Amino acid sequence: MFKKASVALALVAAAASAHADVSLLSEGFDQVPGLTSAGWIITNTGTPGGATLPWVQGDGNIFSALTGTAESYISANYNNAPAGGLLGSWLITPVFSTAENLVISFWARSDILDGYADQLAFGLVDASGDISNALLGTTVTTTGAWTQYSLSIAGQGLGSNARFAIEYVGAADGANYVGVDNLVATVPEPSSWALAGLSLLGLAAIRRRRQSR
Amino acid sequence: MHKSIKQTALRTALLAAFCGAVGVSQAATIVIQSRDPAGVGFNDTTPVSPVGGNPGLTLGEQRMYVYRYVADIWEQALQSPVTITVNAGWESLTCTATSATLGSAGAWNIWHDFPGGQPGTWYPQALANKLAGVNLSDGQADDGSGYGNVDIKTQFNVNLGNTGCLEGSPFYLGVDGNAGDKVNFVETLLHELGHGLGFSVVSVYTGSVASAVGYRLNAAGTSYVSSGGLPSVWEQFMYDNTAGKTWLNMTSAERRVSAVNPAGLAWNGPNVAAGAPMLTAQPVLKIASPAPGSAGLYSYNTASFGPTVATGLSLGALATIKADTVNGQGCLPFDAADTAAVTGKVAVIDRGTCGFAVKAKNAQNAGAIGVIIANNAAGSAPGLGGTDASIVIPTVSVSQTDGAALRAAITASVPYGTRGKPGSASASLAVDPNRRAGADLAGRPLLYTPNPLISGSSVSHWDVSATPNLLMEPNISRDLGTVLVPPKDLTVPLLKDIGW
């Protein structure tokens, strides 16, 4: 999907201009219904019986997207699982190359209501999209303002690839409404590479935790 | 404006093959032939001042100047080795104080089975002559009228603008386009000659006898017949999206249905297809909803009251009110529940019982920020008439089917909201990137197919939804010019499709 040659060329350009990051993936969620045909995976592993499907077009009357038209973000809500159930709403990107060092970032926010909070876990999944192999290293509680979250990944060599997954987690009874916008995967400028090794260590640790569950 | 297609004299040609091949293309030659008596029409000696580039000093001179001006435009647009003869007259046509038949024109003779034409197919004479390379009427005795052999016969309303005949709106005889409130005669005549030259289905019945619509003219040219008649050269390019075939391959009954298939009948000729990208993107009512399958793009129509709406306008979240089969939905001031439902939202209200402006005003008084009127019967989104200067919220309309889809979207969106606020479907005015204004989903320009049929006008025009406006729409728009090819117009490409 992403040719090695073009990344190499782009990196040469990046060296000349410190801000010329190379985007491998860039999604503004203008058209959520078109995502699955573009290689995205949306699936629900939460308690069955919720009133809504997970990860749908945002509702501009609840809050507006970070950029673009008001509804151009992707959303999930407490009705993804029934009362008393557990949420497990997965949003998984298309496959991208992990040959080079990468930074994957997205923006998220919640609709804030006293007594409720929305949690997102995120990390890598293998190219098959098999969520039993997912490495969701970070869990965050989103706030009432659009906030950027990111994950740095060290390059794993020619031919390697993966997907990035966000899972809406927690008890349905404690959740409300969450939005995600502007998800991008970029090959960073050289000065960012130093962070990559740390991320890789973190990922290995998470794998054990997920498997024990 | 009524532009009927008349064709009274018919000829069949059984010419031997001695006719030479059509020579190298040359600009057409058009001759104008007056049939007006002394003192009338072209012979009216009423003194006038030169106007808008027309130097004539009498009314008759100015009328003829415009005829020549328009004929010159057509001469440059088309090629034919055979002179095209237009018989022209100024006559008392139907009119009242508020409406008038401006004029009409049509191919006066039509032909089939001549050298150079498709066999068993009706053609207008001007085109048939071009294809044959000779004047097919040469040597034929006149029918006594003096114009029995001409290609095109025209008549325009000699009384237009006078008392009792669309008073105050006479023809504008200038050639600079500055018609103001008058009727631009250059555009009117350009349009009518277009019909006479071949912009018309010509030999398929689209008149006022409903049961005969779709019948073809028989080979003898004597009557319209349910089966066994000959097709028009137009029919191979008249593609019905619902039936999935052209008129050429339809029965009379199928053509009758297709003639009143709004936005369903398109022109699929190659020259028009090449020019069709000149049409702009189709304006639509865009419904955004978190509920999967509920978002969509819908055709809409506009209102004569309230603020002017345009692409880019965000209307807001949709809301419904209770049905009211007694008084009509939205016809009475809203009660507390309906007021709560529509405050700050766009009210979806069914058409019926009271005026559109009444419904819009009641919604506005209840705090609504917009109104969408849903048709209460089959058909497209209705134009919303009425006046009420106190209405300040935008109002648009959708079809009955689309109104039901909007209500379904409102219901489906509810569980997708937050614990404090139900999910909602919202509306804005946008453009459909996959569709052009006046074309079908495949980009083929649409023919004019209103339901019910408009006798003599249906089918033989472009649909009124075309943007920019086209010369061969049923109405003369103010923004037309004298260029007949893309990116301004699609008249010449259609004529080329049929053989010009």
Side-chain angles (χ1 to χ4, degrees), chain B residues 180-204:
Chain B
D181 291 332
K182 297 178 179 177
V183 179
N184 189 331
F185 188 54
V186 168
E187 297 298 345
T188 309
L189 182 60
L190 200 61
H191 174 109
E192 293 300 336
L193 289 186
H195 283 312
L197 290 162
F199 203 106
S200 165
V201 73
V202 122
S203 62
V204 179

Side-chain angles (χ1 to χ4, degrees), chain A:
Chain A
M1 188 164 178
F2 298 101
K3 286 201 168 59
K4 170 72 175 168
S6 65
V7 172
L9 283 173
L11 278 173
V12 174
S17 167
H19 298 288
D21 290 0
V22 180
S23 177
L24 297 181
L25 189 66
S26 179
E27 180 55 56
F29 303 107
D30 294 349
Q31 292 293 334
V32 170
L35 291 180
T36 49
S37 62
W40 290 70
I41 299 171
I42 292 173
T43 189
N44 192 350
T45 60
T47 308
T52 57
L53 295 171
W55 296 118
V56 295
Q57 193 76 54
D59 185 335
N61 299 296
I62 291 172
F63 53 73
S64 292
L66 178 66
T67 58
T69 57
E71 70 277 4
S72 66
Y73 65 95
I74 193 165
S75 72
N77 78 350
Y78 66 103
N79 276 330
N80 286 180
L86 282 176
L87 296 167
S89 306
W90 293 77
L91 175 65
I92 304 173
T93 71
V95 178
F96 52 83
S97 168
T98 50
E100 307 289 339
N101 299 310
L102 287 178
V103 174
I104 301 170
S105 66
F106 63 94
W107 296 71
R109 70 164 282 188
S110 284
D111 182 67
I112 295 299
L113 193 66
D114 275 351
Y116 300 96
D118 298 299
Q119 291 182 301
L120 298 177
F122 58 88
L124 291 188
V125 184
D126 66 22
S128 73
D130 180 355
I131 57 176
S132 66
N133 295 330
L135 307 168
L136 303 195
T138 313
T139 300
V140 296
T141 299
T142 49
T143 70
W146 283 110
T147 304
Q148 188 176 32
Y149 302 94
S150 57
L151 177 67
S152 297
I153 301 159
Q156 292 158 23
L158 185 60
S160 61
N161 52 29
R163 296 171 184 263
F164 179 72
I166 299 174
E167 185 188 8
Y168 185 33
V169 295
D173 288 349
N176 189 22
Y177 179 97
V178 68
V180 168
D181 203 357
N182 291 16
L183 189 154
V184 295
T186 54
V187 174
E189 54 186 293
S191 60
S192 303
W193 288 4
L195 298 171
L198 286 173
S199 307
L200 196 62
L201 289 174
L203 284 174
I206 304 316
R207 180 192 284 272
R208 284 196 300 278
R209 198 190 71 175
R210 282 298 287 194
Q211 286 172 340
S212 68
R213 215 168 87 169

Side-chain angles (χ1 to χ4, degrees), chain B residues 138-335:
Chain B
D138 267 353
Q140 302 222 9
D142 189 76
D143 59 4
S145 66
Y147 46 80
N149 288 336
V150 301
D151 299 286
I152 298 167
K153 178 169 174 277
T154 65
Q155 40 279 318
F156 286 90
N157 198 324
V158 73
N159 296 319
L160 192 75
N162 296 342
T163 304
C165 189
L166 211 60
E167 188 171 348
S169 298
F171 282 121
Y172 176 72
L173 297 175
V175 296
D176 58 357
N178 296 326
D181 291 332
K182 297 178 179 177
V183 179
N184 189 331
F185 188 54
V186 168
E187 297 298 345
T188 309
L189 182 60
L190 200 61
H191 174 109
E192 293 300 336
L193 289 186
H195 283 312
L197 290 162
F199 203 106
S200 165
V201 73
V202 122
S203 62
V204 179
Y205 187 80
T206 56
S208 54
V209 181
S211 60
V213 170
Y215 282 17
R216 286 170 174 162
L217 193 62
N218 64 4
T222 52
S223 66
Y224 292 100
V225 291
S226 173
S227 64
L230 298 183
S232 155
V233 66
W234 260 48
E235 291 185 54
Q236 61 191 304
F237 300 116
M238 299 169 77
Y239 182 82
D240 188 293
N241 278 295
T242 309
K245 53 186 171 182
T246 65
W247 276 32
L248 191 61
N249 299 316
M250 287 187 191
T251 64
S252 289
E254 288 172 328
R255 283 189 290 273
R256 180 158 61 247
V257 172
S258 182
V260 289
N261 182 8
L265 182 63
W267 185 271
N268 71 350
N271 290 285
V272 167
M278 68 164 272
L279 298 172
T280 59
Q282 170 75 41
V284 286
L285 177 70
K286 179 183 178 183
I287 301 299
S289 164
S294 290
L297 303 176
Y298 302 95
S299 298
Y300 71 92
N301 211 326
T302 56
S304 58
F305 51 86
T308 302
V309 299
T311 295
L313 177 69
S314 177
L315 293 168
L318 303 180
T320 54
I321 60 172
K322 290 187 294 291
D324 186 341
T325 53
V326 178
N327 307 297
Q329 195 176 33
C331 291
L332 298 182
F334 288 15
D335 65 15

